[in-house]
């Protein structure tokens, strides 16, 4: 009986105060027994100095990889350094921040004034690019934990048909363009969300991503480096920078004797064969093709622009706010009750619908502005790729394709030419 | 043979133009972004004053037991016998919905302090960050229970996946020098 009254009083008290948030509903007790409030032991985050240690480690690893690929030409050393990167950047530092994900932070900082970029993230983005400009894709060879885990598990290599390779390698361009668009509009970090290996590095993660990562690793045993070749958006940037690199890995340490031994050594189709034995395509034919593609180039670019513009509203749906606004608009217009957790929270928050729609409009306009750039970039890349197929240089030696070569050093041992070590 | 033929010259020219075309945007990026950078680091943290205890923290963290845990601001607690964040075991009547209030991992323990006060302590090793007790405390109590990201457990993802789905946008990046947003008093009335 006594208890019931207590409950009733309590209930009345609760109703009384239910609307006022964060108010002391129950008084602070007066302790007579000399009770002291317990102390909380708060754990500090990792010391920020670690971020700069990481940057130093990155530079050292890149410098060593450069030495191993260009100077000592030792595949074994390259594997060792990538094993170190896998352990350090992968398992010890559990994946974040990585240069691939940094693309999004850069895009976010470029297009949003409210975002402050940690200096270490900018360095992680720029340093591998600078190394690539000087020496080729050393980052992919030795420093990238995602590259390392795939390189170390790529035991057999099955060569993909050239056509499949070309078609699949357009995916990273789309991935790059979309990730920049979504990061710039502050909608989503898709590179991080769908990073297949970060779960493996953490030995923990959402089941779908873990399964995706493991499947990718298994397929990587045969089709080596599937993420690098057919997904990695940072690889697109490095690919283009590497084409103009100052120095680059060479297959032979001396001069190529066209023995063709290395021809099938590269699992990434990154060796451009010499063409001294092939018949030359007639000049007129290739010139005609060149002119045709040159005319097509603006057409493809414009096509891309129109195409993505058409879908800009759908692209904006990646943004949580836009989805929420859509749901609430449906509720208002069609009477379909908005029951998602976002909608429920929104209704409780006291923000008016007009405010939300205004915010949605800002995001929509930004996406509409950004989407044509995505299409334009994709169209232009496709056009340039077509154009480049018509330019045929005479080659009297086997050379790595500077864009797609990961400087992994697999081809070294195939070359019969050796220099004496002094 | 000292001279290069015209094709080699042209190739060299194309290469240097390309190098410039690549180097210039990189230089521009650095020039544009350096003023926006800061040497300090950021960590993710929940603002307990905008948290709505929706329960996403429990399920959306990349850590399988979430890095979000319940903390207790003892100085705000009423030390009541009847706590809406804590369901006593073994009470005579368990009414409808009682199980929804129960801490699913029995991470809350209570100990008697003095009549009529009880101390509620959260065992962080058991807490899964579901926020059920926090909701009870915020709705019917003093709001002394609240959720925080424990930095020892948080791997500080580039993009916090709970922040991505938080309906109240309560998870923000804050400077690593002050990594917690502690509830020490009332934001509205006092302080």
């Amino acid at each position: 009986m006594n208890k019931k009254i207590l409950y009733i009083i309590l209930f009345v008290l609760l109703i009384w105060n239910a609307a006022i948030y964060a108010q002391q509903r129950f008084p602070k007790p007066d302790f007579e027994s000399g009770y002291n409030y317990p102390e909380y032991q708060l754990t500090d985050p990792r010391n920020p100095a670690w971020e700069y240690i990481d940057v130093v480690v990155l530079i050292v690893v890149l410098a060593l990889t450069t030495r191993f690929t260009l100077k000592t030409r030792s595949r074994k050393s390259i594997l060792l350094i990538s094993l170190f990167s896998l352990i350090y950047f992968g398992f010890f530092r559990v994946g974040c921040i990585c240069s691939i994900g940094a693309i999004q932070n850069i895009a976010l900082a470029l297009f949003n004034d409210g975002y402050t970029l940690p200096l270490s993230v900018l360095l992680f983005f720029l340093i591998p690019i600078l190394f690539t400009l000087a020496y080729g894709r050393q980052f992919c060879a030795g420093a990238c934990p995602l590259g390392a885990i795939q390189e170390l598990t790529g035991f057999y290599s099955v060569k993909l048909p050239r056509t499949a390779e070309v078609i699949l390698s357009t995916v990273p361009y789309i991935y790059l363009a979309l990730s920049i668009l979504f990061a710039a509009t502050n909608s989503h970090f898709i590179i991080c969300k769908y990073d297949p290996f970060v779960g493996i590095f953490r030995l923990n993660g959402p089941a779908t991503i873990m399964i995706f990562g493991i499947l990718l690793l298994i397929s990587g045993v045969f089709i080596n480096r599937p993420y690098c070749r057919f997904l990695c958006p940072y690889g697109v940037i490095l690919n283009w920078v590497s084409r103009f690199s100052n120095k680059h890995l060479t297959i032979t340490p001396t001069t190529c004797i066209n023995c063709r031994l290395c021809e099938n050594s590269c699992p990434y189709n990154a060796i451009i064969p010499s063409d001294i034995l092939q018949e030359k395509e007639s000049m007129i034919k290739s010139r005609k093709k060149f002119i045709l593609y040159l005319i097509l180039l603006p057409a493809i670019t414009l096509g891309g622009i129109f195409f993505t513009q058409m879908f800009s509203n759908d692209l904006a749906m990646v943004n949580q706010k836009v989805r929420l606004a859509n749901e609430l608009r449906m509720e208002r217009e069609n009477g379909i009750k908005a029951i998602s957790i976002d909608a429920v929270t929104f209704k409780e928050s006291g923000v008016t619908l007009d405010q939300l729609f205004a915010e949605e409009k800002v995001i929509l306009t930004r996406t509409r502005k950004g989407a044509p750039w995505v299409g334009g970039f994709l169209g232009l890349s496709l056009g340039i790729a077509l154009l480049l197929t018509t330019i045929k240089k005479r080659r009297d030696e086997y050379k790595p394709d500077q864009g797609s070569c990961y400087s992994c050093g697999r081809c070294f041992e195939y070359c019969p030419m050796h220099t004496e070590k002094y | 043979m000292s001279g290069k033929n015209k094709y080699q010259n042209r190739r060299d020219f194309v290469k240097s133009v390309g190098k410039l075309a690549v180097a210039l945007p990189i230089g521009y990026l650095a020039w544009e972004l350096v003023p926006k950078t800061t040497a300090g680091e950021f960590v993710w943290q929940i603002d307990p004053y905008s948290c709505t205890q929706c329960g996403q923290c429990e399920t959306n963290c990349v850590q399988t037991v979430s890095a979000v845990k319940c903390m207790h601001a003892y100085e705000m607690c009423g030390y009541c016998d009847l706590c809406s964040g804590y369901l006593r075991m073994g009470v005579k009547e368990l009414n409808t919905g009682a199980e929804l209030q129960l801490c699913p991992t029995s991470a809350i323990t209570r100990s008697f302090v003095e009549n009529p006060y009880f101390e509620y302590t959260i065992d962080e090793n058991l807490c899964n960050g579901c926020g059920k007790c926090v909701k009870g405390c915020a709705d019917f109590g003093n709001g002394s229970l609240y959720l925080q990201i424990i930095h020892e457990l948080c791997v500080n993802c580039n993009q916090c996946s709970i922040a991505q789905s938080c309906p109240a946008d309560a998870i923000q990046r804050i400077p690593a020098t002050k990594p917690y947003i502690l509830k020490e008093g009332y934001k509205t009335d006092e302080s």
Side-chain angles (χ1 to χ4, degrees):
Chain A
M1 188 65 208
N2 211 358
K3 224 166 203 174
K4 269 209 173 126
I5 292 171
L6 201 84
Y7 277 113
I8 290 165
I9 292 171
L10 182 73
F11 189 71
V12 170
L13 268 172
L14 294 180
I15 296 296
W16 187 258
N17 282 311
I20 312 161
Y21 182 66
Q23 185 181 334
Q24 185 126 25
R25 299 196 178 97
F26 302 99
K28 205 169 171 173
D30 279 326
F31 294 114
E32 288 163 0
S33 61
Y35 168 83
N36 286 323
Y37 291 114
E39 283 278 318
Y40 244 108
Q41 293 297 315
L42 292 172
T43 50
D44 280 331
R46 228 170 43 109
N47 194 328
W50 273 104
E51 298 287 329
Y52 294 96
I53 295 174
D54 291 345
V55 173
V56 173
V57 172
L58 178 72
I59 294 172
V60 172
V61 164
L62 284 171
L64 280 178
T65 317
T66 307
R67 198 185 142 73
F68 296 148
T69 51
L70 299 186
K71 202 118 189 241
T72 61
R73 298 172 52 85
S74 153
R75 161 91 174 148
K76 211 177 256 175
S77 316
I78 299 171
L79 282 183
L80 278 178
I81 197 86
S82 50
L83 184 67
F84 168 79
S85 301
L86 174 63
I87 293 168
Y88 183 82
F89 291 114
F91 291 104
F92 172 66
R93 284 285 294 107
V94 288
C96 279
I97 172 78
C98 80
S99 304
I100 306 172
I103 298 171
Q104 301 161 115
N105 302 59
I106 301 291
L108 186 63
L110 266 183
F111 298 102
N112 295 273
D113 288 326
Y115 180 80
T116 36
L117 186 71
L119 184 61
S120 55
V121 176
L122 181 62
L123 291 175
F124 255 79
F125 178 74
L126 285 180
I127 289 169
I129 294 182
L130 293 178
F131 260 86
T132 308
L133 190 57
Y135 305 111
R137 297 172 71 168
Q138 305 299 338
F139 175 74
C140 305
C144 178
L146 285 82
I149 197 171
Q150 293 172 90
E151 186 68 47
L152 292 166
T153 51
F155 298 115
Y156 305 96
S157 45
V158 177
K159 264 205 177 184
L160 278 188
R162 194 102 204 166
T163 339
E165 175 101 27
V166 168
I167 291 169
L168 282 173
S169 54
T170 54
V171 177
Y173 284 83
I174 300 168
Y175 200 17
L176 173 70
L178 287 180
S179 64
I180 291 178
L181 176 72
F182 293 146
T185 54
N186 205 353
S187 301
H188 214 311
F189 273 23
I190 53 171
I191 300 175
C192 297
K193 175 101 180 170
Y194 302 109
D195 182 340
F197 300 123
V198 77
I200 296 171
F201 297 150
R202 291 177 181 145
L203 306 171
N204 195 347
T208 43
I209 292 296
M210 291 294 273
I211 293 168
F212 177 46
I214 290 164
L215 285 180
L216 211 57
L217 267 191
I218 294 171
S219 65
V221 172
F222 306 101
I223 302 160
N224 303 162
R225 284 194 187 238
Y227 183 81
C228 307
R229 284 152 85 194
F230 311 127
L231 281 170
C232 183
Y234 196 56
V236 174
I237 300 172
L238 294 188
N239 184 316
W240 278 95
V241 175
S242 180
R243 289 179 196 205
F244 305 107
S245 73
N246 223 8
K247 273 188 178 171
H248 196 277
L249 167 143
T250 53
I251 300 170
T252 170
T254 54
T255 41
C256 178
I257 53 165
N258 283 294
C259 65
R260 301 180 59 192
L261 285 174
C262 63
E263 206 165 52
N264 289 318
S265 66
C266 184
Y268 314 122
N269 279 333
I271 292 178
I272 309 173
S274 104
D275 56 1
I276 46 169
L277 295 174
Q278 283 168 8
E279 209 159 297
K280 209 175 170 186
E281 197 180 33
S282 79
M283 198 71 148
I284 299 167
K285 207 173 162 190
S286 59
R287 287 240 164 113
K288 265 186 185 165
K289 258 196 206 162
F290 181 83
I291 291 165
L292 174 72
Y293 288 144
L294 199 63
I295 298 165
L296 270 179
L297 182 68
I300 299 172
T301 312
L302 280 177
I305 291 174
F306 282 122
F307 185 75
T308 39
Q309 205 157 29
M310 261 181 3
F311 291 103
S312 63
N313 282 5
D314 300 287
L315 289 172
M317 285 296 274
V318 169
N319 193 294
Q320 195 191 10
K321 279 257 159 60
V322 176
R323 279 202 305 269
L324 172 66
N326 262 28
E327 192 183 354
L328 291 166
R329 195 177 289 116
M330 284 272 264
E331 183 183 55
R332 198 170 65 174
E333 287 166 7
N334 305 340
I336 302 166
K337 207 160 162 44
I339 50 159
S340 77
I341 200 156
D342 289 328
V344 173
T345 312
F346 174 79
K347 284 176 193 164
E348 285 172 359
S349 69
V351 182
T352 61
L353 268 179
D354 292 331
Q355 274 170 297
L356 178 73
F357 290 154
E359 266 181 79
E360 182 207 13
K361 209 177 168 195
V362 172
I363 300 163
L364 278 178
T365 9
R366 295 192 69 189
T367 320
R368 270 191 211 124
K369 255 188 220 162
W373 287 93
V374 171
F377 165 75
L378 291 177
L380 194 65
S381 316
L382 183 67
I384 289 174
L386 280 176
L387 210 55
L388 287 182
T389 56
T390 64
I391 301 173
K392 290 241 169 64
K393 282 187 273 188
R394 292 296 286 174
R395 287 181 185 283
D396 46 14
E397 54 180 356
Y398 278 80
K399 271 177 87 176
D401 173 4
Q402 291 207 3
S404 51
C405 171
Y406 298 112
S407 299
C408 69
R410 276 179 200 250
C411 50
F412 289 163
E413 61 185 26
Y414 288 84
C415 186
M417 304 294 281
H418 292 288
T419 43
E420 294 303 319
K421 280 185 183 144
Y422 300 108
Chain B
M1 289 288 276
S2 60
K4 291 174 170 179
N5 66 32
K6 64 173 183 174
Y7 294 109
Q8 275 168 323
N9 275 333
R10 195 165 65 191
R11 256 178 229 181
D12 286 347
F13 174 72
V14 168
K15 202 162 182 186
S16 15
V17 168
K19 216 174 279 180
L20 210 65
V22 169
L24 281 179
I26 297 170
Y28 172 75
L29 258 185
W31 182 72
E32 180 86 353
L33 287 174
V34 165
K36 286 185 179 179
T37 58
T38 157
E41 289 302 320
F42 292 90
V43 290
W44 296 99
Q45 194 49 275
I46 302 172
D47 177 6
Y49 297 100
S50 37
C51 171
T52 54
Q53 304 91 33
C54 62
Q56 302 274 307
C57 289
E58 180 198 356
T59 49
N60 282 32
C61 184
V62 294
Q63 301 285 63
T64 324
V65 179
S66 177
V68 173
K69 304 283 171 201
C70 176
M71 306 230 312
H72 196 182
Y74 291 104
E75 295 191 25
M76 290 169 73
C77 180
Y79 285 80
C80 316
D81 179 10
L82 191 76
C83 173
S84 41
Y86 173 79
L87 187 75
R88 278 175 301 155
M89 299 301 282
V91 287
K92 273 180 195 158
E93 294 168 56
L94 282 179
N95 298 322
T96 325
E99 73 281 359
L100 298 177
Q101 276 187 48
L102 183 69
C103 175
T105 57
S106 7
I108 307 180
T109 49
R110 83 169 190 170
S111 52
F112 177 70
V113 179
E114 65 184 60
N115 203 20
Y117 301 129
F118 290 88
E119 183 193 281
Y120 297 88
T121 321
I122 292 119
D123 185 350
E124 265 176 23
N125 294 325
L126 291 176
C127 177
N128 65 356
C130 69
K132 276 176 185 153
C133 59
V134 180
K135 189 153 192 69
C137 188
D139 288 351
F140 302 113
N142 280 358
S144 62
L145 294 170
Y146 61 107
L147 293 172
Q148 285 285 281
I149 293 169
I150 304 298
H151 291 300
E152 193 187 14
L153 307 168
C154 174
V155 286
N156 205 10
C157 298
N158 194 13
Q159 171 69 54
C160 175
S161 72
I162 317 172
Q164 201 49 256
S165 58
C166 176
D169 286 336
I171 300 185
Q172 304 291 347
R173 290 186 335 143
I174 61 169
T177 42
K178 203 172 170 292
Y180 290 93
I181 305 175
L182 297 177
K183 264 191 168 180
E184 272 148 0
Y186 298 96
K187 215 177 189 182
T188 42
D189 301 347
E190 296 164 34
S191 86

